[in-house]
Amino acid sequence: MDASKILLILCCFILIVCFTFCISTLTVLRNTVDESRAVQTEAAELVDQMESLLSEYRDSSIPVLGETSDADRFVLRETDGRIGIFTIDGYLLHILDVAVDTLPANDRAALASGIPLSSWKELISWVQDYTA
């Protein structure tokens, strides 16, 4: 075998390895996008579900822009080893499928005493942090 054939075989081998790497990378990217969409869908469903649960606790008056009513305040607390979302009055709205045992010690301590949240945006941010 001369050097040109060895070089051709080596180039073909490198090309096959590169194609395999590209296909693997694209597969991982596609799976990441799919998981990201699933998390966004779950967050949207959670917001919709919580909207319907809170509708009975809301005041019938129209709130002033920027004003936060008690119906829009929440507390994250541990309940049965999971994270529970409560109204400020103590009504359980939803239990997240997140085991408290898997969280860092400072988060567990904060959840044991309750994490007060003052708006929907803050609640959604915390839920996304814990469920991501």
Side-chain angles (χ1 to χ4, degrees):
M1 259 191 188
D2 61 346
S4 64
K5 287 184 181 180
I6 293 174
L7 188 60
L8 180 65
I9 292 172
L10 183 62
C11 287
C12 289
F13 178 73
I14 291 172
L15 184 63
I16 290 170
V17 169
C18 288
F19 280 143
T20 304
F21 179 72
C22 288
I23 290 170
S24 300
T25 304
L26 290 174
T27 303
V28 168
L29 285 173
R30 185 191 66 204
N31 292 342
T32 303
V33 168
D34 290 344
E35 288 175 8
S36 177
R37 265 192 221 123
V39 168
Q40 288 176 345
T41 303
E42 288 175 16
E45 289 172 0
L46 180 62
V47 168
D48 291 342
Q49 182 182 12
M50 292 179 71
E51 275 286 342
S52 65
L53 290 171
L54 281 177
S55 64
E56 64 189 73
Y57 299 111
R58 288 190 184 256
D59 187 14
S60 61
S61 64
I62 298 172
V64 177
L65 185 62
E67 182 180 287
T68 303
S69 68
D70 279 348
D72 290 334
R73 293 178 50 199
F74 309 96
V75 177
L76 293 179
R77 235 185 325 226
E78 178 183 357
T79 179
D80 296 327
R82 303 268 183 220
I83 299 174
I85 302 172
F86 294 84
T87 63
I88 198 73
D89 300 329
Y91 294 103
L92 177 63
L93 298 175
H94 187 73
I95 297 176
L96 300 176
D97 192 26
V98 177
V100 175
D101 299 346
T102 62
L103 301 175
N106 58 347
D107 286 346
R108 287 191 304 247
L111 285 169
S113 62
I115 302 172
L117 307 171
S118 60
S119 68
W120 277 102
K121 283 184 179 182
E122 195 174 0
L123 173 65
I124 291 169
S125 174
W126 278 85
V127 168
Q128 286 178 341
D129 287 347
Y130 282 127
T131 58

